[in-house]
Each structure stands twice: as structure tokens, then as C-alpha cells.
Amino acid sequence: LEYGQRTLHYYQNGFSYAESFKTGNIADKGPGFVFLNSFVHWLFGLEPLRLWHLLISFCAILTLPPLAGLGKLFGNQRVAFFSVLALLLMPRFVGHSFTNPIDIPFACAVCWAMFAMLRLYGHNRLGKLNLAFCALSIGLALSMRPGGMFLFFYMAAIGLLWALQAGSSRHGHTVFKKVFSLSVRIT
């Protein structure tokens, strides 16, 4: 909570309060969520610890819709139902849904990012709104944990698959040939 207050103070003072980053190793322990908690506390004046647990639970609930959406994209309604049911029957997920400010918001952001990426791939076009939502969810995952970096690799793989499926360009060369020739020229 102290780190969140310091980060909020940093933003309130026009990016000039550098003491917020001198907190030891706590700076990499979910700063996005900690900042959100401090901001909502500052905005509404709610009691910080109760708000802390409420926001963690809210993130746990927000993890379920993209998981069901992923189930629908991979299979059908039954896959969506059983994927949500499997997550809700995990004691660790349910137990951490009230107390873990790092892993539960990170799981929520990763589920939303994966859902957004697969929707981009499924639509066969990069719409601005879908791409912005995908970037936002990847950014939120990165603000929770540095492990969110793997989402960039997934995004690159999905982009490559999408480009390979795009087929021929106007000059008759396939996208794969263009990518291969470009990579040969660069090396």
C-alpha cells in the first residue's frame, strides 16, 4: 500500500517525486494493481485494505468471461462451461481471489490478452479497436508482472500465422516469400 501511495504521489507531483521508486524489491510486485488500489482509494476515500480485497475479487470475476470466450473459440459452449468450472474448482484460484494482488490481476490480464489476440486472428483483419484492446490488455499484464513479456511472442506468432494465411499480394508473391527474402536481405 505504501508503494501505491508513493506512485500516486509521483503522478500527482508531475513526475517529479522519485522517492517512490526507492522501495527495494517491492517495485516489481504488481505495481499496476497497487497503483489502481491507491488511485481508487484517493478518488473515493474508501478504506484501503477492504478496497484491496474487493479489487482482487473483482479481477478474479473478470477472469471468467475471457476464459469462457476462449472456450467458445476453441470448441463450443461445453468447452467454455467446463473451462470456467475447472478454474472455479481450483482451490488455489478461489483462495487467492481474495488475497493475492499479483497473480489474480495478472491472470485476468493474460486471459483478456489471449482472448483479444485470438479474436484478432479469427477475424482475419487487424481492426483498430480490437488491436487497441489487445495492446491495452498486454500492457496491463506487463504492469502486473514482467512475465507478461511472453504475450509479445504470442502476438508475433499470431501475426506471422495471420500473414502467412493472407495469401498472395498484388505482385503474385506469397507473403512467406516476401518475409523470407526480407530476412535474407537483413542478414
Side-chain angles (χ1 to χ4, degrees), residues 32-51:
F33 178 79
V34 173
F35 174 73
L36 174 70
N37 183 49
S38 297
F39 181 71
V40 172
H41 168 67
W42 171 76
L43 197 61
F44 297 114
L46 300 172
E47 200 269 314
L49 284 177
R50 289 186 182 169
L51 178 64

Side-chain angles (χ1 to χ4, degrees), residues 99-126:
T99 58
N100 193 331
I102 302 167
D103 295 332
I104 296 299
F106 180 69
C108 179
V110 167
C111 281
W112 279 107
M114 294 301 294
F115 178 67
M117 283 188 271
L118 288 175
R119 280 194 63 208
L120 281 174
Y121 179 71
H123 286 202
N124 283 333
R125 65 181 180 87
L126 297 177

Side-chain angles (χ1 to χ4, degrees), residues 68-144:
L70 284 170
K72 284 182 184 178
L73 288 174
F74 281 119
N76 55 22
Q77 195 69 26
R78 281 186 286 194
V79 174
F81 173 75
F82 283 113
S83 62
V84 170
L85 183 65
L87 186 65
L88 288 176
L89 291 177
M90 283 185 190
R92 182 168 284 177
F93 178 78
V94 174
H96 284 228
S97 294
F98 302 102
T99 58
N100 193 331
I102 302 167
D103 295 332
I104 296 299
F106 180 69
C108 179
V110 167
C111 281
W112 279 107
M114 294 301 294
F115 178 67
M117 283 188 271
L118 288 175
R119 280 194 63 208
L120 281 174
Y121 179 71
H123 286 202
N124 283 333
R125 65 181 180 87
L126 297 177
K128 290 180 185 176
L129 187 60
N130 286 335
L131 196 58
F133 181 72
C134 185
L136 176 70
S137 56
I138 290 173
L140 286 174
L142 279 171
S143 77
M144 301 300 165

